[in-house]
Amino acid sequence: MASTRWGIMGTGAIANDFAQALKTTPGAVLHAAASRSQASADAFAKKHGIARSFGSYEELAADGEVDIVYVATPHAFHRDNVLLCLGAGRHVLCEKPLAVSAAQVAECVAAARERNLFLMEGMWTRFFPVARAIRKAVAEGAIGKVVSVSASLGFKLEPSFNPRLYEPALAGGALFDVTAHARLLPSGVDQQTFATLEYEGGAMAHLELAAKRRDHRETGYIRTGRPTQCPETYTIGDEPDPMLLRARRVEVEEPLDPPNPGLAPGYNYVGSQGLRFEAEAVQQALHEGRTEHPEMRLDESLAAARLFDEIRAQIGLRYPWDEDQGVARLGASHQ
Ligand SMILES: NC(=O)C1=CN([C@@H]2O[C@H](COP(=O)(O)OP(=O)(O)OC[C@H]3O[C@@H](n4cnc5c(N)ncnc54)[C@H](OP(=O)(O)O)[C@@H]3O)[C@@H](O)[C@H]2O)C=CC1
Ligand SMILES: O=C1OC[C@@H](O)[C@H](O)[C@H]1O
């Protein structure tokens, strides 16, 4: 297998995990790491056996021997970091979200397309064997037509765990950090309504009102085998219901190595050993001369960014740069 020289931008928690995962990725070469400080870059490079270390992101972007840069910085900087790399002629894999507004994502996508460079948002779980097996089963009609998907993902994110999550200037908060994984894109508002209700005392209810569903049999459920971010077993198909005559349920299992649940040694985040599937997929796309990955297209990142803008406008979640980006004010389009 041809090799791919990776450059890692940022030396935080996920950068560590990605470097760790690259060590188990066939064809991956840990070529360079960059930090805002030379000392951090050196320490990171030493820990992971990386050949080159740079004390600025600009130096990494300028390294012509880097095949692709993995951007692992806080959300608020993704746009600038991505544009820096693309501007220097580097392919880019950027952690989620690709950027923090639709306008910013559009800038990144335009820059990549103009320069004919590879760009992908790091939706890592999409490349897990189990996720691919689910998509295949659904595409083959194993559970019939899916008309409803609901996703739920939550963590107890303590400020002490990672302060960036509480920092507006770094685009902290659950929307960008966690919702980015769920990717529920809007389709046909007349057909389905999702409502979230907040009760006195803080309780919340999530309702799905479907006007199009013809019969229960066509409802697709995806259940995870275990309560963890990266399950290895999913059951897809109908909700268990004694009234169902033609239930179609399929169990899809693709164990991780080392297996979940739990933190694999050397990693900061649960399931991060699975980052290697994403790295491998990106490498293959590069070797095929692609500028987008067919399983994680840029149009999808754009659509998700528009959805996030909309959610932010509706819930009044404002970030410091919104005035410049034209992100709608609370209620501006919903009064
Ligand atoms: N796929 C997944 O499941 C996960 C994805 N992520 C994503 O990865 C990205 C980084 O998250 P994570 O590694 O947890 O974050 P960390 O805070 O642990 O690391 C971010 C790194 O970015 C660099 N950085 C640049 N500018 C700043 C700044 N102003 N303040 C703080 N750090 C800065 C720092 O590296 P340096 O000092 O070397 O420049 C820092 O170590 C986010 O986009 C996040 O959503 C995170 C966790 C899991
Ligand atoms: O993407 C993520 O997944 C795991 C979380 O703990 C983390 O904060 C988030 O960035």
Side-chain angles (χ1 to χ4, degrees):
M1 131 117 36
S3 62
T4 303
R5 290 172 305 238
W6 288 87
I8 298 180
M9 185 174 282
T11 58
I14 196 74
N16 169 82
D17 288 11
F18 195 76
Q20 198 70 13
L22 284 183
K23 294 173 201 167
T24 66
T25 308
V29 177
L30 286 136
H31 174 77
S35 170
R36 292 164 301 161
S37 98
Q38 188 66 52
S40 296
D42 292 345
F44 189 88
K46 189 171 173 207
K47 176 175 180 189
H48 293 290
I50 299 176
R52 298 183 187 175
S53 56
F54 299 113
S56 76
Y57 297 164
E58 286 75 13
E59 287 170 90
L60 175 66
D63 182 343
E65 289 181 26
V66 168
D67 290 321
I68 180 162
V69 174
Y70 170 66
V71 172
T73 56
H75 311 147
F77 309 114
H78 287 181
R79 186 261 310 257
D80 289 353
N81 298 155
V82 165
L83 292 180
L84 171 70
C85 296
L86 293 173
R90 307 278 87 79
H91 299 300
V92 180
L93 167 64
C94 178
E95 260 309 333
K96 37 63 54 172
L98 184 49
V100 292
S101 70
Q104 287 194 7
V105 170
E107 265 186 89
C108 295
V109 169
R113 288 180 175 159
E114 234 166 63
R115 294 171 175 81
N116 215 24
L117 290 168
F118 181 90
L119 175 63
M120 193 184 96
E121 181 180 11
M123 293 306 298
W124 64 314
T125 47
R126 188 156 292 201
F127 302 97
F128 276 38
V130 74
R132 284 175 151 161
I134 288 173
R135 290 201 297 278
K136 184 165 178 283
V138 170
E140 288 170 351
I143 58 166
K145 186 177 169 193
V146 175
V147 295
S148 167
V149 175
S150 107
S152 168
L153 179 63
F155 301 99
K156 191 173 183 194
L157 298 172
E158 301 285 3
S160 56
F161 168 68
N162 197 326
R164 77 174 166 79
L165 295 162
Y166 283 78
E167 187 50 67
L170 302 183
L175 181 69
F176 286 134
D177 205 60
V178 179
T179 316
H181 286 301
R183 287 302 149 89
L184 297 177
L185 300 182
S187 60
V189 289
D190 291 326
Q191 295 170 0
Q192 297 186 59
T193 300
F194 296 88
T196 302
L197 310 180
E198 192 174 359
Y199 295 87
E200 274 178 27
M204 301 187 92
H206 180 72
L207 305 182
E208 178 194 344
L209 311 162
K212 190 173 173 247
R213 193 180 298 160
R214 277 185 303 233
D215 66 21
H216 203 127
R217 180 172 58 83
E218 288 196 345
T219 303
Y221 286 85
I222 299 181
R223 298 171 161 277
T224 61
R226 298 187 190 112
T228 159
Q229 187 183 1
C230 313
E232 297 154 337
T233 309
Y234 289 83
T235 303
I236 54 177
D238 290 317
E239 182 79 326
D241 183 334
M243 299 297 287
L244 290 176
L245 299 176
R246 287 173 292 172
R248 284 176 286 176
R249 305 182 75 216
V250 179
E251 190 147 293
V252 183
E253 185 164 32
E254 293 280 350
L256 276 178
D257 177 22
N260 261 340
L263 207 49
Y267 291 93
N268 292 311
Y269 293 108
V270 170
S272 277
Q273 68 269 35
L275 282 163
R276 75 171 186 274
F277 300 120
E278 175 187 57
E280 221 171 332
V282 167
Q283 291 182 172
Q284 193 182 338
L286 287 180
H287 293 143
E288 290 169 0
R290 295 180 189 271
T291 51
E292 288 191 37
H293 199 288
E295 290 172 84
M296 185 57 220
R297 292 197 171 278
L298 291 171
D299 281 345
E300 191 176 337
S301 295
L302 271 168
R306 285 189 205 107
L307 176 63
F308 287 0
D309 276 1
E310 177 63 24
I311 292 171
R312 290 216 288 125
Q314 289 199 24
I315 65 175
L317 176 58
R318 308 274 310 155
Y319 287 114
W321 56 85
D322 283 344
E323 300 304 330
D324 307 332
Q325 294 290 320
V327 175
R329 282 195 165 281
L330 171 63
S333 57
H334 304 282
Q335 284 166 353

